[in-house]
Amino acid sequence: MLRLAGARVLDERDLIDVRGAFEHDPVAACMVAARVEVAGLDPWRLGGEMWGSDSRPIRGRVDGLCFSGPNLIPLKGSATAMRMFADRARRRGRMCSSLVGPAEQVLTLWDELQPDWGPAREVRGDQPLMAISGTPKITPDPLVRQVRPSELNRYLPAAISMFIEEVGIDPCAEDGGAGYRARVSELIAAGRAFARFEHGEVVFKAEIGAMSSRVGQIQGVWVRPDRRGEGIGTAGTAAVADRLTRVLNRTASLYVNGYNHVAQAAYRKIGFEQVGQYATVLF
């Protein structure tokens, strides 16, 4: 059993407890659950480590849970558990591009890490987590469809524009865009990138990012600037949500910045309801 300041790396013997935590809040846990359902808890297959904190010195119920990979995602736990995770994260050094997840845990963990990892590039502390399980309240856009692998070059500029608008950095800055292109290509190949094309150009796009057995998380919603305000984004998002709920039999979820009142109103018009609160710390 690996331990460090009260936190330990979980393994397959903890899988039942971890799955139980996912079942408690499947929408909030979607990003991590999607990985664990495929890879289990082996760090090599998982692409990161799952950390747990226990209230007892023997293996038992996992009181705190945190995924450490490309993103640091604390899913559950008290302030004490977040302190344990922060200690482990400090000792490893920062290996993530962001902290993201339930706001209470993310902001508590960031309070612990900020003296060593700060300042952050941006802290988004108010991100409503929204979900819909039934039929959208508005008619899905029938012109929104899955992007074909042959359309990568037409889709990619829209994806890059979305990333710059949302994250504030150019995903092509470090490696000429090779890494981002590969990630977008994977989403297209998996049938999880959607767009409305007009005259060969993307006017709306969105993707299903993480997808667990119960929930699919919509990400990267974007409308070409000169077409905004026409309802394209609302009907397009409804089309992706409809595919998740009706075809894939999953809850559709997303999270949105609290200051983006226009987007929140559009999602509520579709039928999304707030089910939690997320926060993101960007490095």
Side-chain angles (χ1 to χ4, degrees):
M1 181 185 300
L2 298 174
R3 289 189 176 273
L4 183 59
R8 63 183 177 88
V9 177
L10 303 183
D11 59 35
E12 296 300 319
R13 292 171 291 179
D14 300 290
L15 197 53
I16 292 176
D17 290 328
V18 171
R19 286 176 173 166
F22 295 161
E23 288 297 314
H24 177 71
D25 193 347
V27 176
C30 176
M31 286 188 287
V32 181
R35 286 175 171 266
V36 172
E37 287 175 2
V38 172
L41 294 177
D42 176 73
W44 290 104
R45 296 184 61 220
L46 188 61
E49 294 179 344
M50 188 71 73
W51 299 343
S53 65
D54 299 326
S55 60
R56 292 169 291 181
I58 60 174
R59 185 179 299 272
R61 181 170 60 91
V62 177
D63 298 309
L65 197 62
C66 181
F67 172 73
S68 175
N71 302 298
L72 192 61
I73 308 175
L75 286 176
K76 60 174 288 192
S78 64
T80 299
M82 295 306 111
R83 194 171 303 118
M84 295 176 184
F85 296 146
D87 187 60
R88 188 171 196 102
R90 276 192 296 265
R91 298 191 187 209
R92 281 172 57 94
R94 185 172 71 80
M95 304 174 68
C96 59
S97 61
S98 71
L99 271 68
V100 61
E104 180 181 356
Q105 281 71 35
V106 166
L107 296 177
T108 302
L109 182 57
W110 179 235
D111 283 343
E112 294 287 338
L113 289 171
Q114 185 174 8
D116 299 284
W117 285 13
R121 181 164 59 83
E122 186 178 357
V123 177
R124 300 178 180 180
D126 176 19
Q127 296 180 307
L129 178 65
M130 309 181 78
I132 179 174
S133 298
T135 303
K137 294 180 179 179
I138 69 168
T139 302
D141 185 347
L143 297 181
V144 170
R145 59 171 175 79
Q146 289 175 309
V147 180
R148 305 181 187 103
S150 62
E151 295 171 320
L152 171 61
N153 288 336
R154 285 193 284 167
Y155 183 82
L156 190 60
I160 292 171
S161 294
M162 175 281 303
F163 194 96
I164 293 172
E165 287 185 35
E166 176 62 24
V167 182
I169 60 174
D170 186 346
C172 302
E174 291 189 3
D175 61 358
Y180 188 67
R181 181 186 178 91
R183 289 195 293 274
V184 173
S185 180
E186 288 176 3
L187 286 169
I188 292 174
R192 285 159 55 178
F194 299 83
R196 172 173 171 161
F197 289 89
E198 292 184 2
H199 307 294
E201 293 187 3
V202 175
V203 296
F204 165 84
K205 67 162 288 292
E207 296 134 9
I208 300 172
M211 188 163 68
S212 71
S213 60
R214 295 185 58 183
V215 180
Q217 190 174 85
I218 299 171
Q219 66 178 32
V221 177
W222 179 88
V223 177
R224 200 172 70 188
D226 66 332
R227 300 299 302 275
R228 293 173 186 176
E230 300 179 17
I232 291 175
T234 305
T237 304
V240 181
D242 184 61
R243 182 170 184 85
L244 275 166
T245 58
R246 183 175 56 84
V247 179
L248 300 176
N249 195 31
R250 286 166 168 84
T251 295
S253 75
L254 51 81
Y255 60 100
V256 58
N257 291 317
Y259 56 76
N260 194 341
H261 301 295
V262 173
Q264 290 183 61
Y267 298 145
R268 290 193 177 95
K269 186 176 180 180
I270 295 167
F272 282 88
E273 296 181 350
Q274 184 171 353
V275 296
Q277 191 79 7
Y278 256 33
T280 303
V281 179
L282 297 169
F283 298 115

